Structure formats: C-alpha cells, structure tokens
Amino acid sequence: MQPNVPEAYVRFLAHYHGDRDFFECHELLEEYWKEHPSSPYRNEWVGLIQAAVGMYHYRRGNAAGAKKSFAGALRRYNPERLRELGLDAERWTELLTTALHRAEIGAPYRDVDLPIDDESLLAKAKAACASFGADWGAPSRMEDLELLHRHARRDRSDVIEARRQAFEARRAGR
C-alpha cells in the first residue's frame, strides 16, 4: 500500500463496507479525484467511483446503469496500482466481473465487498466506519428509501447554477 492513502479513500472504504452508501462513496472519491488530477491513481479512483455507482444502480434495480458502470470500472484498473492501494486486484476483478454478469442476467442485487489486503488500511477504514456509527460488513438496507434514492434527494442548486453560468459564458462568446 502507498504510505499515505488519502482520507477520502479511507472514508470511501468505510461507507462502502459500513452503511453501504454508494452515492456518498462516489461523491467522496470524485471530489478527491477532481482535486488531484495528476494523481498516479487517477484511473483507479475513477474505476472505484464507477464500481460504487454500479452498486448504487444495481441495488436500485437499474441493471443497464449497473452494467455500464461495472464495465467501465473493469476497463480502468491497473492491477499493480490496485495492489498499491491495498486491494487484492485479482479477487476484485473476479468479484466485479461476477457482479457484471449477475446484472446482465437479471439476478437480484447482493453486496460485494472490496477485498482489502492491507491490514493497516483495513484498520483505518474500520475505525472510520465506527466513527460514523456504521457496522463494518453490514448488509445493504434495502428498505431505506433515502439511501436507495440519494441522487434524487440531493441539493443540486450549485451544479445548476454552474451550468447556467457556463451556458451564459458560451452564449456571450458567440
């Protein structure tokens, strides 16, 4: 594992394995990725974001979104870089490929854990998980509609405003 893993990655792992808030996983790692565009792990960050988005879609019953996200994630990874991030790259590829296949055949969703090989990373992620009151390895709360539909319940006013400003700038430049 790299000596100083980003806190965003530790929190990503904590949410992924704790409250199974895949939307939050996506938000955390996407923010980090955008703030660190020259990271040597940029493809792995995107791949992990796509995997979390795929789990989010799959759990909600959106097989098409899950398949697209899982396939994208599988194309992104460099196994050596995943190992540097404390993951068992071969096992993760196998698990994600199985999730993709299950989505393709319409099998019901089931949680898929990231295979963390690094004991110190695992300890950090479990501690972060405990810090927000989640139980490591708990199953998805399929009855929690807030968790299942986070994308529809978030405040997007800042994104809408940024898009409006970009549109106005393009229009003014014509």
Side-chain angles (χ1 to χ4, degrees), residues 10-43:
V10 172
R11 291 191 346 254
F12 170 94
L13 294 171
H15 282 287
Y16 190 99
H17 294 95
D19 58 7
R20 307 284 180 179
D21 189 342
F22 301 125
F23 189 85
E24 182 66 13
C25 290
H26 152 266
E27 294 284 294
L28 287 166
L29 216 45
E30 184 177 64
E31 182 177 336
Y32 180 82
W33 165 66
K34 285 180 177 180
E35 290 173 357
H36 300 87
S38 62
S39 167
Y41 301 100
R42 65 186 167 277
N43 284 330

Side-chain angles (χ1 to χ4, degrees), residues 16-17 21 38 59-60 69 74 77 85 94-95 97 99-100 109-110 112 115 118 121 139 151 157 166 170:
Y16 190 99
H17 294 95
D21 189 342
S38 62
R59 185 173 59 192
R60 296 180 63 248
S69 297
L74 286 163
Y77 295 131
L85 292 173
E94 187 180 296
L95 290 168
T97 300
L100 171 59
Y109 170 83
R110 67 175 177 215
V112 177
D118 184 280
L121 176 62
H151 74 285
S157 55
R170 283 191 307 274

Side-chain angles (χ1 to χ4, degrees), residues 58-75:
Y58 193 14
R59 185 173 59 192
R60 296 180 63 248
N62 177 359
K67 290 185 290 187
K68 182 178 178 183
S69 297
F70 292 154
L74 286 163
R75 284 192 302 272

